[in-house]
Amino acid sequence: MLERLELIKNATLYVEGIIVQYIDLDFYLWLWWLLTPLVITFLLPMTIGVLFYMTSLILYIYKLHRQRLRAAYERDFWDGARYTVAAIWDAHGWLWHGYEIEGLENLPEDSPALIVYYHGAIPIDIYYFVAKTLILKNRLIHTVADNFLFSLPGWPIIAEALKVIPGTVQTCSAILRDNNMLAIAPGGVYEAQFGDSFYHVMWRKRLGFAKVAHEAKVPIIPIFTQNLREAFRSVSWGKKYWLKLYLWCKLPIVPVYGGFPVKLKTFVGKPIPYDQSLSPEEIRDKVASSIEDLVKRHQQVPGSILRALIQRFWNFECAEKSK
């Protein structure tokens, strides 16, 4: 028995010697400690995907039980589900980003308008904006999304309930003529992937939104969300290679990281009235200047994640104005 215990002890010491000799445990522990924050920052964007599928699940449940609930509503049977989903997104925005809107009074009460916004790496702000507008103003903002989203599982029911469309000039104009508000990000996926913390407007030569406003004869309302690029960022390395891939496949292939609980605040600019004398090119340039002005007034560039986190507790903008 003693000999067996001695053999086990010697074998254990031998194995420990091999581990110490060939594997530096301190190094691997240090490496794990170093990489954990990096892994987390790439995993956090998945929470947005989880919220989308929670939204899809809620809407499917509501659709399956609509016969029981329809009697409770005099209008569209989607209304109950929309307000439930809006409440979830509004709560997330308040808890995670202290989300606020300034200038909500610039949105019309009962007339159409085209809302144009800067597209972040993940346009989390427009989700919060649509939710809060529905809750506070009782108006659902229709939104335009990229075509690739409509091939994702679960997306069609979200699009059906929340009025998300691929968006041609004709369909967008029809929505506005029906007295709705419609939100468009002219920069789209390109601006989302290749924008940076300097918040340059990256619309290239896109004129679709300007043609929509011109055809529907509606005002344009520019909006911008402070610290949007600090909440989620696309990787900055290898941009020219990512650009080549994007131009080839037209899909959002640039990795996104973040999910940081930074302060987000959306600023709604003054409406730009419809002017029949302006060409689509002139409309585009005028709206781009309005977005750039909102950035200049409300965003310190380059953006800083640390500063944006501190703004959850200390408003630099207000502090500077009080001096």
Side-chain angles (χ1 to χ4, degrees):
M1 184 68 179
L2 291 174
E3 291 179 358
R4 184 176 296 178
L5 291 172
E6 188 67 26
L7 286 172
I8 293 172
K9 181 179 179 182
N10 290 337
T12 303
L13 291 173
Y14 178 73
V15 171
E16 289 177 352
I18 291 176
I19 291 173
V20 171
Q21 182 178 357
Y22 293 101
I23 302 176
D24 188 344
L25 291 179
D26 288 340
F27 170 77
Y28 283 99
L29 287 172
W30 174 83
L31 187 63
W32 173 256
W33 174 84
L34 180 67
L35 293 178
T36 295
L38 184 62
V39 172
I40 290 173
T41 57
F42 277 94
L43 288 177
L44 280 174
M46 292 174 62
T47 60
I48 302 304
V50 171
L51 275 176
F52 266 119
Y53 281 97
M54 283 178 60
T55 300
S56 179
L57 179 61
I58 290 169
L59 294 174
Y60 271 120
I61 292 171
Y62 186 83
K63 192 172 186 179
L64 288 172
H65 295 280
R66 66 184 184 276
Q67 298 297 339
R68 298 178 183 178
L69 298 172
R70 182 176 293 180
Y73 301 94
E74 295 179 356
R75 298 178 297 176
D76 186 348
F77 76 92
W78 280 119
D79 280 352
R82 288 186 189 121
Y83 280 94
T84 301
V85 169
I88 292 171
W89 280 95
D90 188 55
H92 183 273
W94 175 70
L95 288 170
W96 198 247
H97 295 290
Y99 181 72
E100 295 180 84
I101 299 177
E102 183 176 304
L104 196 60
E105 66 278 2
N106 290 327
L107 295 181
E109 295 292 334
D110 54 5
S111 59
L114 181 63
I115 298 167
V116 176
Y117 63 96
Y118 173 87
H119 201 308
I122 293 181
I124 188 72
D125 59 325
I126 201 65
Y127 312 151
Y128 298 147
F129 184 75
V130 169
K132 193 171 281 292
T133 302
L134 179 61
I135 293 170
L136 297 180
K137 296 184 76 72
N138 197 32
R139 294 198 70 184
L140 176 65
I141 298 174
H142 297 231
T143 52
V144 174
D146 198 276
N147 288 327
F148 83 92
L149 287 171
F150 294 86
S151 62
L152 297 179
W155 182 262
I157 195 169
I158 295 176
E160 179 186 353
L162 301 179
K163 306 298 182 184
V164 184
I165 61 170
T168 63
V169 172
Q170 292 73 28
T171 56
C172 290
S173 299
I175 286 170
L176 290 167
R177 283 195 293 267
D178 284 341
N179 209 42
N180 296 298
M181 290 192 291
L182 177 69
I184 297 178
V189 174
Y190 179 81
E191 187 172 65
Q193 294 185 109
F194 302 106
D196 55 30
S197 57
F198 285 89
Y199 291 87
H200 298 301
V201 172
M202 301 175 69
W203 295 354
R204 296 185 287 179
K205 296 182 179 181
R206 293 187 175 181
L207 288 171
F209 80 96
K211 292 177 180 177
V212 168
H214 194 269
E215 184 174 314
K217 299 178 174 58
V218 295
I220 298 176
I221 301 175
I223 70 172
F224 169 74
T225 300
Q226 184 184 58
N227 299 325
L228 182 59
R229 284 278 170 188
E230 281 57 70
F232 292 95
R233 286 186 173 180
S234 52
V235 297
S236 58
W237 45 265
K239 274 197 172 182
K240 65 178 181 179
Y241 301 108
W242 293 120
L243 180 59
K244 288 180 180 178
L245 280 173
Y246 168 73
L247 293 174
W248 174 68
C249 66
K250 297 296 182 180
L251 293 173
I253 38 74
V254 179
V256 173
Y257 66 96
F260 304 111
V262 300
K263 177 67 177 180
L264 293 182
K265 187 173 184 179
T266 296
F267 294 88
V268 183
K270 295 290 185 182
I272 301 171
Y274 166 70
D275 185 346
Q276 64 177 357
S277 66
L278 296 178
S279 67
E281 289 80 7
E282 290 171 324
I283 293 173
R284 178 195 61 198
D285 295 342
K286 190 171 184 177
V287 178
S289 295
S290 297
I291 296 286
E292 290 168 346
D293 183 59
L294 288 173
V295 172
K296 185 177 180 180
R297 286 192 285 126
H298 302 294
Q299 180 67 55
Q300 188 172 341
V301 295
S304 163
I305 294 173
L306 178 60
R307 183 172 62 245
L309 287 168
I310 295 173
Q311 283 180 306
R312 288 294 302 273
F313 313 100
W314 178 259
N315 191 331
F316 294 109
E317 188 178 22
C318 289
E320 289 175 2
K321 287 179 180 178
S322 64
K323 290 181 181 180

